C-alpha cells in the first residue's frame, strides 16, 4: 500500500468528510475518491461509508486506521532521520508527559535531552497516561513520561521517580493536626479523585489502599486536573490523595500529610518503543536517564 493512499484514508477517517479532507490535502474530491477506491481494492473491502451528510469508517477501516497511522508515523520518522543525516540537523523530538511530571522530573528529562541533543527542537504535549501509551504505540510520540508502570513487551520503561502519595486536606479538618495518617482514618471522609479514565493507575492504587483500609472508594467528586482537586480541598468539599510532588501547590488552608500504609509509592517512568531504542539520538538519552 502506498503511503500517500494511507495518508488520504487517515485524513478522511479522522475528519469524517471527503470535502474537508480534500481541502486540507489540497486535492480535488474526485482525485481523493479515486485514491480511496484504489486502497479499498487493495484492502479487499470497503473502508469508508459515504453519504450526503457524513462519512463513517467501516469495521475493516477501523482495523486499518491505527496501523495506517503507525506506518505514516514511521515513514515520517525515517524521512526526518534521512534529512538529518543529509544536512546535519538534529531535527525534532516529540515528548509527552502527565501533568504532575511538570513539577518533578520533566525539567531534568528536558535538560538531559538538551545535553545529548543540544540542537534538537522539542515538541511538548501534555496528555493522560492512556493517551500517551496509545500514541507511543502508533509512533506519534517519541518519548513519554507516564505515571505508574503498565507492562508491555514492546515498550521500554525507565523509572524516573518513585514518590509517596499524600493526603491533601483542609487545615480545619481534625485529621490535619496529625503528623501522618492511615487509610483507615479516611473511612468517613469525602474522597475526591481524578476519574479512572484519565488516571487509571492512580485511581486503582487509591482504590486498593481504601480497600485495605477497610472501606470502598466512592468518590464524592472527580476532577481531571490535580490543581482543581487541591482547590476543591481548599473549598472544603472533601479530601484527596495525590503524589508528594504536588505539594509544590501551596494553597491557603491546605495541608499535605504523609500516609503510613504500605503501597503508597507512585512511579513516574519514561517509555519508548523498543524498536526505536537504537535510533539516532534516542540511544544517548535512554542511556543517560537509565543511569540517573
Amino acid at each position: 500500500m502506498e503511503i500517500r493512499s494511507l495518508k488520504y484514508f487517515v485524513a478522511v477517517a479522522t475528519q469524517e468528510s471527503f470535502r474537508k479532507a480534500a481541502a486540507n490535502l489540497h486535492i480535488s474530491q474526485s482525485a481523493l475518491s479515486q485514491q480511496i477506491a484504489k486502497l479499498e481494492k487493495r484492502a479487499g473491502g470497503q473502508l469508508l461509508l459515504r453519504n450526503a451528510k457524513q462519512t463513517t469508517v467501516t469495521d475493516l477501516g477501523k482495523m486499518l486506521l491505527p496501523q495506517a497511522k503507525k506506518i505514516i508515523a514511521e515513514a515520517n520518522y525515517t524521512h526526518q532521520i534521512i534529512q538529518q543525516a543529509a544536512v546535519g540537523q538534529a531535527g525534532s523530538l516529540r515528548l509527552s508527559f502527565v501533568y504532575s511530571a511538570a513539577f518533578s522530573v520533566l525539567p531534568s528529562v528536558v535538560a538531559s535531552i538538551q545535553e545529548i541533543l543540544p540542537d534538537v527542537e522539542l515538541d511538548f504535549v501534555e496528555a493522560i497516561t492512556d493517551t500517551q501509551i496509545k500514541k507511543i504505540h502508533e509512533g506519534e510520540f517519541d518519548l513519554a513520561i507516564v505515571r505508574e508502570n503498565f507492562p508491555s513487551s514492546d515498550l521500554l520503561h525507565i523509572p524516573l521517580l518513585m514518590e509517596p502519595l499524600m493526603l491533601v486536606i483542609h487545615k480545619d479538618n481534625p485529621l490535619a493536626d496529625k503528623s501522618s495518617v492511615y487509610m483507615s482514618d479516611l473511612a468517613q471522609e469525602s474522597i475526591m479523585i481524578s476519574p479512572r479514565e484519565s488516571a487509571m493507575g492512580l485511581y486503582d492504587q487509591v482504590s486498593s489502599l481504601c480497600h485495605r483500609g477497610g472501606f470502598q472508594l466512592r468518590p464524592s467528586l472527580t476532577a481531571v486536573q490535580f490543581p482543581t482537586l487541591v482547590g476543591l480541598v481548599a473549598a472544603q468539599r472533601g479530601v484527596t490523595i495525590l503524589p508528594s510532588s504536588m505539594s509544590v501547590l501551596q494553597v491557603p488552608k491546605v495541608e499535605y500529610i504523609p500516609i503510613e500504609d504500605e503501597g503508597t509509592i507512585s512511579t513516574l517512568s519514561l517509555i519508548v518503543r523498543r524498536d526505536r531504542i537504537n535510533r539516532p539520538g534516542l540511544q544517548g538519552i535512554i542511556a543517560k536517564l537509565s543511569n540517573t
Side-chain angles (χ1 to χ4, degrees):
M1 295 182 180
E2 296 180 357
I3 296 295
R4 182 178 62 176
S5 296
L6 292 175
K7 287 182 178 179
Y8 288 171
F9 164 65
V10 169
V12 177
T14 302
Q15 297 176 62
E16 299 182 340
S17 168
F18 273 80
R19 179 182 57 80
K20 291 179 181 179
N24 289 336
L25 293 166
H26 304 292
I27 62 173
S28 67
Q29 289 190 52
S30 60
L32 179 58
S33 296
Q34 290 173 9
Q35 289 295 324
I36 296 298
K38 290 180 181 179
L39 181 62
E40 288 177 328
K41 184 176 181 180
R42 294 189 184 97
Q46 196 167 10
L47 302 173
L48 298 163
L49 293 175
R50 184 179 183 179
N51 58 46
K53 293 184 178 180
Q54 188 180 25
T55 298
T56 57
V57 185
T58 65
D59 288 342
L60 179 61
K62 290 176 181 178
M63 292 177 60
L64 176 62
L65 187 57
Q67 295 301 318
K69 289 181 177 180
K70 186 174 180 178
I71 291 169
I72 293 167
E74 286 298 308
N76 291 338
Y77 191 93
T78 301
H79 179 66
Q80 175 183 308
I81 293 299
I82 293 172
Q83 285 186 319
Q84 291 172 20
V87 300
Q89 295 178 347
S92 62
L93 192 70
R94 294 154 292 180
L95 172 66
S96 67
F97 58 94
V98 291
Y99 176 85
S100 55
F103 296 92
S104 53
V105 300
L106 182 62
S108 62
V109 170
V110 172
S112 296
I113 292 173
Q114 291 178 332
E115 180 182 339
I116 301 298
L117 298 172
D119 298 322
V120 75
E121 179 183 340
L122 274 174
D123 293 330
F124 297 97
V125 181
E126 181 193 332
I128 62 175
T129 292
D130 283 357
T131 298
Q132 292 188 83
I133 292 175
K134 177 177 180 291
K135 290 186 179 294
I136 280 282
H137 278 300
E138 293 177 350
E140 292 186 38
F141 295 160
D142 299 305
L143 298 167
I145 302 174
V146 301
R147 184 165 291 282
E148 304 315 325
N149 191 333
F150 295 87
S152 178
S153 60
D154 59 345
L155 296 180
L156 173 67
H157 286 70
I158 303 170
L160 299 174
L161 176 66
M162 299 178 70
E163 58 179 331
L165 298 177
M166 299 188 77
L167 173 66
V168 188
I169 192 167
H170 193 276
K171 73 167 192 153
D172 291 341
N173 188 306
L175 291 177
D177 294 331
K178 292 178 173 286
S179 58
S180 63
V181 297
Y182 289 91
M183 289 299 298
S184 57
D185 296 329
L186 308 182
Q188 303 304 315
E189 298 293 329
S190 296
I191 299 178
M192 305 177 294
I193 194 170
S194 295
R196 190 174 187 273
E197 57 268 24
S198 66
M200 181 175 66
L202 180 62
Y203 188 99
D204 289 348
Q205 186 178 15
V206 172
S207 179
S208 176
L209 287 168
C210 291
H211 179 74
R212 280 184 278 169
F215 62 99
Q216 288 187 329
L217 173 63
R218 293 187 176 90
S220 58
L221 283 172
T222 59
V224 173
Q225 296 292 351
F226 289 172
T228 302
L229 289 170
V230 176
L232 290 170
V233 170
Q236 295 185 282
R237 297 301 303 275
V239 303
T240 191
I241 297 172
L242 296 177
S244 60
S245 57
M246 298 309 299
S247 62
V248 299
L249 297 175
Q250 291 297 313
V251 177
K253 299 185 178 182
V254 170
E255 303 285 346
Y256 295 84
I257 301 177
I259 301 172
E260 294 289 350
D261 301 63
E262 293 183 358
T264 62
I265 298 300
S266 181
T267 304
L268 284 171
S269 299
L270 184 79
I271 60 171
V272 60
R273 269 180 28 197
R274 289 187 181 276
D275 62 355
R276 286 191 169 183
I277 60 178
N278 292 321
R279 294 190 170 183
L282 292 183
Q283 271 185 318
I285 295 169
I286 292 168
K288 182 171 179 61
L289 293 175
S290 296
N291 295 322
T292 54

